[in-house]
Amino acid sequence: MHGGFLRFGLATAASVLIAHGAAAQETPGADVTVIGQRDIPPKVARRYVAEISAGVDGQLTRFDVPVCPTVIGIADDYARIIAKRIRAVAREAGAPVAGEECRGNLVVIFARDGDALVKDMRAKTPRIFEGVNDVDLKRAFREGPVHAWNVTEILNEDGQRPTGTAMTVKTASILYLPTQQAITGSVIVLDHEATLGKTLNQLGDYVAMRALAGALPPRKDVPADTILTLFDARDNVPPQLSEVDRSYLRGLYKTNPTMKGRVAKGRISRQIQKDAKERAGMN
């Protein structure tokens, strides 16, 4: 994993957060209602996947190291609930999950002023952004209620890092590349005021989608429920990770990490349709 993130991620985030003042402690409960969406036509599945997927160098990204969520800027009891929720989502998706005693690599920060906090981090601790591709970096610096970025590194098909300036790779194909883009760390900054009225489970599920898959909130109205609309001005936000979201994560972590992005998206779309048919009792 990138040394900058490991050495400076939690420590610098915490120190800068203290300088800005931690977010207030009032946070809603964790009650949820199970939600599902049975009929997912192929066109809807493909559009949903296309809208939320973000990749690096032509490949989708996923956690390659065991996920260790750490939540700061909020009461400890609430932080534990959110971290537990993220772990549960990661396990269900098939992502590697670290034990309880671990060094945080999925850092969730509740801030009074997220825009100011990220600007301060950029000025004072730029190494926390090492390993973030340029496109994600631009998104992370945009003003708004959420700032998210993932640290990625390139590995070969066997999960090995480069040795010096060289990397041992095999032959690519129509479906696969000789390398993979692995997420080794993630930071999500949430503006406290924007989280008011949202449950802890909603917040944990939203963070899980953004971090575990590098997923983006859809830019257009997508005819499929998704927790990624949590911070949009909508009345029909799911109370938790939707079934379509769950299928997306399962599909992502089932695909070969060396698969080309367009091929992986097709596999994930089919996973969503397959799961929907099973819920509807059509298989």
Side-chain angles (χ1 to χ4, degrees), residues 89-223:
V89 173
R91 287 194 185 95
E92 181 184 316
V97 180
E100 293 295 331
E101 298 297 324
C102 57
R103 177 178 288 183
N105 58 16
L106 194 166
V107 184
V108 186
I109 304 172
F110 286 79
R112 289 185 178 180
D113 187 338
D115 292 338
L117 176 63
V118 171
K119 288 179 181 177
D120 208 15
M121 293 169 77
R122 185 181 185 183
K124 297 180 179 178
T125 57
R127 291 189 67 179
I128 200 172
F129 299 104
E130 286 183 358
V132 183
N133 75 81
D134 292 341
V135 175
D136 282 348
L137 207 55
K138 289 179 181 178
R139 291 195 192 103
F141 293 151
R142 290 175 187 164
E143 293 188 353
V146 180
H147 299 268
W149 61 94
N150 285 346
V151 176
T152 60
E153 65 177 343
I154 189 169
L155 307 174
N156 69 9
E157 55 268 76
D158 296 321
Q160 298 172 335
R161 295 174 176 82
T163 302
T165 58
M167 175 179 287
T168 303
V169 297
K170 301 174 184 176
T171 304
S173 70
I174 296 175
L175 301 181
Y176 303 96
L177 293 175
T179 57
Q180 56 181 293
Q181 300 292 335
I183 298 174
T184 56
S186 181
V187 179
I188 312 287
V189 178
L190 302 174
D191 199 86
H192 172 69
E193 186 174 352
T195 67
L196 297 179
K198 297 170 177 57
T199 70
L200 297 175
N201 280 348
Q202 281 181 313
L203 295 170
D205 288 357
Y206 175 88
V207 166
M209 281 293 288
R210 295 298 306 267
L212 297 176
L216 302 173
R219 294 168 296 174
K220 308 170 185 175
D221 288 335
V222 176

Side-chain angles (χ1 to χ4, degrees), residues 37-52:
Q37 185 171 349
R38 293 194 172 188
D39 185 23
I40 309 292
K43 185 176 181 180
V44 172
R46 289 193 297 269
R47 183 180 172 194
Y48 162 82
V49 171
E51 279 288 321
I52 73 167

Side-chain angles (χ1 to χ4, degrees), residues 22 27 55 61 71-72 90 107 123 160 166 208 220 232 241 245 270 282:
T27 302
T61 60
V71 183
I72 59 179
V107 184
Q160 298 172 335
K220 308 170 185 175
D232 293 353
L241 205 70
D245 293 331
R270 289 192 287 276
M282 297 171 63

Side-chain angles (χ1 to χ4, degrees), residues 27-33 78 81-82 85 198-202 239:
T27 302
D31 296 334
V32 298
T33 302
Y78 298 148
I81 292 172
I82 292 175
R85 183 74 172 190
K198 297 170 177 57
T199 70
L200 297 175
N201 280 348
Q202 281 181 313

Side-chain angles (χ1 to χ4, degrees), residues 86-87 142 207 220 235 260:
I86 295 169
R87 286 176 173 273
R142 290 175 187 164
V207 166
K220 308 170 185 175
D235 297 325
K260 292 182 179 180

